């Protein structure tokens, strides 16, 4: 039995409202942190009420956790686009590295949110059942690529999937998270457009060279 049209439309309106709240809340939390962000300000930017936000999310903490869930889910969606079945292992791991670079470059609020949550020692992530298992897909993906590379003989380094994920994330995260301090110390804007193509290529070649074990990145 299908839902009455009025009920379906109300659900669509509710989903749209929740999505809009999450978008505004993400910007607020990324800019001011969990402690500094104010639900009143989020409501004002939404032209709604604090009561309405609590109706959908229950509390400031639950809203923040929902923002984290959304941000991490978007990263996993990007990773799922890597077609392991039709890409050679070298190209697959390079593609994953470059897609991660693209995502972190384009979604700098995600970097800020992760940095903030690390300040809180992942206190809020640990409270999310959604996030508890959200790391599994990317590790499965990397493991499949590594297994295929070992089987084909392309990869000679016996690598751990978490280590490889860390290597990719570290490069992509650092250039955004540390852009201001790095710029002040070394006089270079790491996120400037003229460096982007080189850095994107660099992260892919770095991972491939490590896995191939000889410093050469075959294509």
């Amino acid at each position: 039995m299908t839902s009455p049209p009025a009920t379906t439309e109300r659900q669509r309106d509710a989903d749209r409202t929740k999505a809009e709240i999450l978008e505004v809340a993400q910007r607020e939390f990324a800019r001011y942190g969990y402690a500094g962000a104010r639900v009143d300000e989020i409501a004002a930017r939404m032209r709604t009420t604090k009561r309405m936000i609590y109706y959908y999310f229950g509390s400031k903490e639950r809203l923040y956790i929902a923002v984290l869930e959304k941000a991490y889910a978007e990263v996993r969606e990007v990773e799922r686009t890597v077609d392991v079945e039709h890409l050679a292992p070298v190209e697959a791991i390079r593609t994953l590295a470059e897609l991660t670079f693209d995502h972190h470059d384009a979604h700098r609020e995600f970097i800020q949110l992760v940095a903030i949550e690390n300040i809180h020692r992942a206190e809020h992530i640990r409270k999310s059942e959604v996030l508890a298992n959200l790391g599994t897909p990317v590790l499965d993906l990397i493991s499949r690529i590594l297994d295929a590379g070992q089987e084909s003989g392309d990869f000679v380094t016996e690598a751990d999937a978490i280590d490889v994920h860390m290597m990719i994330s570290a490069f992509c995260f650092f250039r955004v998270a540390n852009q201001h301090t790095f710029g002040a110390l070394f006089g270079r804007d790491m996120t400037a457009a003229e460096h982007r193509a080189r850095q994107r290529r660099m992260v892919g070649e770095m991972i491939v060279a490590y896995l191939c074990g000889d410093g050469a990145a075959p294509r």
Side-chain angles (χ1 to χ4, degrees):
M1 182 177 178
T2 58
S3 300
T7 302
T8 302
E9 187 57 36
R10 280 197 297 272
Q11 183 59 50
R12 288 175 181 163
D13 287 342
D15 291 342
R16 280 195 294 267
T17 300
K18 289 174 69 175
E20 290 169 1
I21 292 171
L22 286 174
E23 287 292 335
V24 175
Q26 178 170 310
R27 291 194 292 271
E28 190 75 6
F29 284 123
R31 184 173 182 181
Y32 297 108
Y34 176 70
R38 297 175 60 246
V39 177
D40 286 328
E41 185 63 27
I42 295 170
R45 292 180 185 277
M46 279 286 301
R47 296 184 180 179
T48 186
T49 64
K50 186 175 180 179
R51 182 177 179 181
M52 178 63 72
I53 293 175
Y54 284 154
Y55 170 78
Y56 284 113
F57 294 98
S59 67
K60 177 182 177 180
E61 182 180 48
R62 287 174 61 185
L63 173 61
Y64 176 65
I65 291 172
V67 166
L68 291 173
E69 290 172 346
K70 170 182 173 292
Y72 274 97
E74 289 170 350
V75 182
R76 298 292 92 94
E77 281 298 318
V78 170
E79 292 161 349
R80 274 194 282 269
T81 65
V82 180
D83 187 0
V84 178
E85 304 301 328
H86 298 93
L87 288 175
V90 167
E91 195 55 35
I93 200 67
R94 181 186 283 116
T95 298
L96 177 61
E98 292 176 348
L99 285 173
T100 303
F101 181 96
D102 291 341
H103 175 274
H104 288 13
D105 186 59
H107 298 82
R108 300 186 183 184
E109 287 176 354
F110 170 73
I111 305 299
Q112 293 169 291
L113 288 169
V114 173
I116 290 163
E117 187 59 8
N118 271 287
I119 291 173
H120 290 278
R121 298 179 182 271
E123 172 189 347
H124 306 95
I125 283 180
R126 296 181 198 281
K127 295 179 180 179
S128 168
E129 293 182 6
V130 173
L131 292 172
N133 299 310
L134 207 58
T136 303
V138 68
L139 295 183
D140 288 344
L141 172 65
I142 294 173
S143 293
R144 288 166 59 200
I145 297 172
L146 295 178
D147 288 345
Q150 289 285 330
E151 185 176 345
S152 68
D154 288 317
F155 298 160
V156 300
T157 302
E158 292 188 8
D160 177 80
I162 293 179
D163 286 345
V164 172
H165 181 52
M166 180 181 67
M167 289 176 68
I168 295 171
S169 298
F171 185 99
C172 299
F173 190 96
F174 183 95
R175 68 180 287 275
V176 177
N178 292 51
Q179 60 179 297
H180 302 296
T181 52
F182 205 85
L185 292 170
F186 301 105
R188 173 179 290 182
D189 178 0
M190 293 190 296
T191 62
E194 64 263 29
H195 304 307
R196 189 182 188 282
R198 185 186 71 258
Q199 292 169 343
R200 186 178 190 269
R201 185 172 60 253
M202 188 187 302
V203 65
E205 297 296 340
M206 177 179 70
I207 299 302
V208 171
Y210 169 70
L211 293 174
C212 292
D214 58 1
R219 292 191 177 274

